[in-house]
Amino acid sequence: MKKLLCILGASTMVVSAPLSVISCKKTKSRVDDEFDYNRIIKEFIDEVASIFKTEISTRFNEYQFISDQQLPDELDYKTIKDSDQQFKERKGEVYDNVVTWISDLIPRDNINNVIKEEVLTNVNYNPVLIDRNTPLKDGIWIDEVNLKSQEVALTFTVKISSTIHLKGGNDEKYFESIDSYVIINVFDQEAILEQAKKIEAEYVDLINNKIANSILFLSDSGNLDKTTLEIPENEILKKYLKDEINNLKIDDGQMNDKNLSLKVVDGGIVDAGTGMHTNEFEANAVPYQTFLKALQDDQEAEQTLLENIKGNDGKWKRIESFTSSDYVEIDKAIARGEKISRALNQYGLSSHVKEESIFKRLLLSSKSSFKIDFEKDANIIAVFATELKGLSFTLAKSDFELNSRTIFIRQKITRENTLEYYDDFIQSAWEFQKTFLQAERDRNGDVIFNLRAPQFWQKSNFAEKFFTGDDFPIQELFLANEQANEKNLVFNFSQDMLRSNQYLGFARPKYIYVNKDFNIFYYDLHQTTGRVVALNNIAITTSLFPDVLKNYGQPQLTFETYNKSNPNYNPDDIKEILDYMKSPLSLKF
């Protein structure tokens, strides 16, 4: 029996090597029978929170600087000023009247209507919806109102809150608190009020018009998640903003940038990925055989491989045709001799700016003149919608904090053009995979990939152990090979090991088993029969940007392995079968 199973394992272990580069998001996505609750919950929360904050911001920007004549009848400037203690204790008639007044300004209907029109109609969110009504089940309320009595104004700082209700797997209830802060300044002197409004207008004009298309972050890193954390700490970027702000011509006032802060908005990033990918190489085809030879240090094969997967016209790549107004410009630009990559360019970026819902909403609500310029933005690979806050100004012995505003930060590469950048990425990604896979032929002539285990892994924690796709520490495995990671010092690209499907794309495998010889096996169970399927249909992908499952339409280098025949094993027998089967993936301690 052992001998039979060993022969079976060797005969069905076939390696295919499609070197994926990019696929249009609408062309190829995750496998439909998979559902990632964590992912969809985060996206749903990001969408709802974005609507909540943008609608509140739009409404209360009109009330940042107002006259005491705009107060409701039951309130007046002097009464509020004399009731300072009530705001410290958060109770009392004046405090309650102020809370009621501000609460009535909250655009609740707008918020719930936009959520209904733009979020609840998205079928992707159906599994996490409790019902077809607003997910803000508890309503929207004022959490706190703080009062600062100044020389020429009353300043209210207001926290507005709500809770998102949704459900996760197994129908468990899930809650997420959200909030937004707004500032209202009430003046009793019309002249000072007009001065404050003028300063605000100058500031808004600066960030929405004068520098709206000039805010840059210089980096070749594709790790947008890491860049999101770096932007708030980037002193060059902050100095540029401070210099521009301090150059504003303000009569009788002084800008204060000491507390300036930046925060990239969740879900507010767009990248320049387009849609292009390679052929699916057959086992006996030249590209596949060349790939295997190149992995085993055949220099001629490696040169041939790279020549055919780099550039815009590599013979081993299938080029997608596009019909959208931006994408059709790609071929025209290349025909004109422009040095742009089909894989990522300003036309793809422009399309994403128009398509990505959160980014599009933030751009619209900000009233910014931000726009992708096909000539000037040829070297921009991503844009980050970013909250700018903490700025204030001094006027008439009083300090006024400006409400947060959204700016749009372009990430510019240091390479001459995106074609050079793309080719360098493919080179680095290839060198990473070659070093990581450590390919060699065994005594039967099969190519085995020896994956180096982290030093802190214990053999006993893996031998003859089952894992779910989410539980297996795959990222620790990618980080364990120091020589491979030396190839990733510039691009900070991302790695993953997924279940592949020729027609539907990638999915997280449901199960992983490591046998007694430390061979790694991926497999799923058929939804209807419960039998083992998709055994070792593995995709090892190196993507320029993070999260290839969500963002398949991006530059990537993907190596796939699969079996010629689909297994049909009883899951109760799978351990015995796999313990005597050979896998192309071998864990080395």
Side-chain angles (χ1 to χ4, degrees):
M1 178 65 176
K2 291 181 181 180
K3 183 176 181 180
L4 175 62
L5 289 173
C6 186
I7 294 173
L8 175 65
S11 64
T12 59
M13 185 189 69
V14 178
V15 179
S16 170
L19 292 178
S20 297
V21 186
I22 305 181
S23 175
C24 180
K25 293 179 183 178
K26 296 180 181 178
T27 307
K28 195 174 184 184
S29 60
R30 333 187 35 223
V31 177
D32 291 340
D33 63 359
E34 298 293 328
F35 189 82
D36 187 336
Y37 273 97
N38 291 334
R39 179 189 309 279
I40 209 71
I41 284 173
K42 183 184 184 305
E43 292 176 3
F44 182 81
I45 290 172
D46 287 348
E47 287 279 4
V48 174
S50 169
I51 293 169
F52 176 83
K53 292 180 179 182
T54 54
E55 291 296 323
I56 287 175
S57 176
T58 299
R59 175 62 164 157
F60 281 91
N61 279 341
E62 302 172 10
Y63 287 83
Q64 183 165 14
F65 302 103
I66 65 171
S67 166
D68 61 345
Q69 300 303 308
Q70 293 175 258
L71 291 170
D73 293 340
E74 61 271 20
L75 290 169
D76 64 78
Y77 191 95
K78 185 177 184 306
T79 300
I80 297 173
K81 191 177 184 70
D82 293 341
S83 303
D84 183 68
Q85 189 61 32
Q86 291 189 26
F87 289 86
K88 294 178 181 177
E89 297 175 355
R90 296 209 173 105
K91 64 180 181 179
E93 181 180 359
V94 175
Y95 179 83
D96 291 343
N97 286 338
V98 169
V99 169
T100 299
W101 164 55
I102 298 175
S103 181
D104 289 343
L105 297 176
I106 298 174
R108 293 177 175 83
D109 289 344
N110 281 10
I111 292 170
N112 288 322
N113 287 337
V114 175
I115 290 173
K116 181 178 180 180
E117 294 170 5
E118 299 185 9
V119 180
L120 301 187
T121 54
N122 186 336
V123 296
N124 291 326
Y125 295 135
N126 285 351
V128 300
L129 297 181
I130 293 176
D131 53 39
R132 289 293 173 181
N133 297 315
T134 177
L136 306 180
K137 302 296 183 187
D138 301 328
I140 303 170
W141 62 89
I142 302 291
D143 231 353
E144 60 185 55
V145 178
N146 295 310
L147 172 66
K148 180 181 179 182
S149 296
Q150 304 202 81
E151 186 80 16
V152 295
L154 301 173
T155 299
F156 299 104
T157 303
V158 186
K159 180 181 179 182
I160 303 172
S161 302
S162 189
T163 301
I164 302 173
H165 292 241
L166 62 161
K167 62 182 181 181
N170 301 318
D171 287 338
E172 76 272 18
K173 294 295 177 64
Y174 191 97
F175 309 93
E176 181 75 8
S177 297
I178 55 175
D179 54 60
S180 181
Y181 287 86
V182 298
I183 298 170
I184 301 174
N185 296 284
V186 183
F187 293 78
D188 64 349
Q189 299 179 46
E190 192 67 26
I192 302 297
L193 170 61
E194 291 307 314
Q195 283 182 285
K197 286 184 174 181
K198 183 180 178 181
I199 293 172
E200 181 202 25
E202 290 284 345
Y203 166 66
V204 172
D205 181 57
L206 173 71
I207 61 172
N208 276 0
N209 298 305
K210 294 178 181 176
I211 65 169
N213 292 291
S214 304
I215 309 174
L216 299 176
F217 181 85
L218 197 64
S219 173
D220 287 329
S221 173
N223 190 330
L224 304 184
D225 294 338
K226 184 178 179 182
T227 302
T228 293
L229 300 177
E230 292 175 348
I231 282 176
E233 306 301 325
N234 188 273
E235 293 302 324
I236 296 176
L237 177 59
K238 289 198 289 187
K239 183 179 184 303
Y240 168 77
L241 291 170
K242 289 180 178 182
D243 287 347
E244 291 293 332
I245 290 165
N246 288 319
N247 284 334
L248 286 172
K249 303 298 183 183
I250 298 175
D251 296 332
D252 302 321
Q254 178 66 48
M255 293 297 296
N256 182 358
D257 60 26
K258 182 179 179 180
N259 296 318
L260 180 149
S261 67
L262 300 170
K263 181 182 183 300
V264 177
V265 179
D266 291 339
I269 306 172
V270 291
D271 64 63
T274 60
M276 176 179 66
H277 57 82
T278 63
N279 293 315
E280 303 289 338
F281 298 152
E282 294 297 332
N284 295 318
V286 172
Y288 163 76
Q289 295 297 336
T290 303
F291 182 81
L292 285 185
K293 290 178 182 178
L295 280 175
Q296 298 170 80
D297 290 325
D298 185 315
Q299 298 300 311
E300 183 178 351
E302 182 172 347
Q303 180 178 347
T304 301
L305 173 72
L306 291 172
E307 286 174 353
N308 284 282
I309 63 174
K310 285 184 176 182
N312 286 328
D313 302 304
K315 296 178 181 179
W316 295 350
K317 294 187 294 190
R318 181 170 67 243
I319 308 301
E320 292 288 336
S321 297
F322 303 106
T323 57
S324 75
S325 59
D326 288 330
Y327 283 153
V328 293
E329 296 298 322
I330 297 174
D331 287 338
K332 294 179 182 179
I334 293 173
R336 291 194 299 268
E338 294 183 21
K339 296 295 184 180
I340 65 170
S341 170
R342 278 197 177 95
L344 76 164
N345 51 60
Q346 64 271 42
Y347 302 101
L349 184 63
S350 177
S351 181
H352 293 166
V353 164
K354 299 171 185 176
E355 294 172 355
E356 296 296 334
S357 58
I358 292 178
F359 190 96
K360 184 169 63 174
R361 184 180 305 119
L362 291 166
L363 181 57
L364 181 64
S365 67
S366 72
K367 297 182 172 60
S368 172
S369 60
F370 168 90
K371 186 179 180 180
I372 297 300
D373 184 300
F374 291 151
E375 181 178 348
K376 296 179 180 178
D377 290 331
N379 284 358
I380 304 300
I381 63 167
V383 181
F384 299 78
T386 303
E387 182 184 38
L388 169 61
K389 63 180 182 179
L391 290 167
S392 63
F393 63 89
T394 301
L395 178 66
K397 300 179 181 180
S398 299
D399 296 318
F400 301 99
E401 184 176 348
L402 292 159
N403 277 330
S404 63
R405 295 277 177 172
T406 303
I407 60 174
F408 301 90
I409 301 174
R410 289 162 159 85
Q411 180 182 341
K412 185 177 181 179
I413 57 174
T414 64
R415 301 299 198 276
E416 286 293 324
N417 51 66
T418 55
L419 182 58
E420 177 185 326
Y421 177 86
Y422 170 75
D423 284 349
D424 288 349
F425 160 71
I426 290 296
Q427 179 73 43
S428 296
W430 157 252
E431 291 175 358
F432 176 92
Q433 289 206 7
K434 177 183 175 183
T435 308
F436 174 76
L437 290 170
Q438 299 186 74
E440 64 178 9
R441 293 190 182 273
D442 66 7
R443 60 187 180 184
N444 296 319
D446 293 318
V447 178
I448 303 297
F449 305 105
N450 300 293
L451 309 184
R452 187 179 303 168
Q455 293 183 0
F456 58 86
W457 279 14
Q458 301 295 319
K459 289 184 177 181
S460 59
N461 292 332
F462 290 88
E464 300 183 85
K465 293 292 191 300
F466 288 91
F467 302 85
T468 67
D470 290 326
D471 291 339
F472 188 77
I474 187 63
Q475 293 305 320
E476 292 179 1
L477 189 60
F478 280 121
L479 292 173
N481 192 316
E482 294 180 1
Q483 287 82 5
N485 281 282
E486 287 176 358
K487 315 298 182 182
N488 191 22
L489 300 178
V490 174
F491 294 97
N492 290 306
F493 43 65
S494 301
Q495 319 289 345
D496 214 334
M497 194 180 297
L498 304 164
R499 175 161 70 86
S500 67
N501 181 294
Q502 183 174 357
Y503 304 103
L504 297 175
F506 300 145
R508 186 72 56 199
K510 289 184 178 178
Y511 304 103
I512 296 174
Y513 178 67
V514 181
N515 73 6
K516 58 185 179 63
D517 296 319
F518 300 104
N519 287 299
I520 302 173
F521 297 90
Y522 277 34
Y523 69 95
D524 285 358
L525 299 180
H526 194 279
Q527 285 186 312
T528 304
T529 66
R531 308 281 287 186
V532 172
V533 295
L535 180 63
N536 273 2
N537 287 0
I538 301 171
I540 301 173
T541 180
T542 299
S543 60
L544 177 62
F545 304 125
D547 199 355
V548 73
L549 275 176
K550 178 183 177 183
N551 182 12
Y552 191 83
Q554 61 159 303
Q556 59 182 264
L557 179 69
T558 297
F559 173 78
E560 298 187 26
T561 71
Y562 65 92
N563 288 321
K564 270 187 176 179
S565 58
N566 290 322
N568 188 28
Y569 302 136
N570 186 323
D572 293 337
D573 301 329
I574 193 65
K575 183 181 184 303
E576 181 182 0
I577 293 171
L578 296 183
D579 272 340
Y580 295 98
M581 187 179 286
K582 183 169 59 176
S583 168
L585 300 180
S586 179
L587 197 57
K588 296 300 181 183
F589 284 87

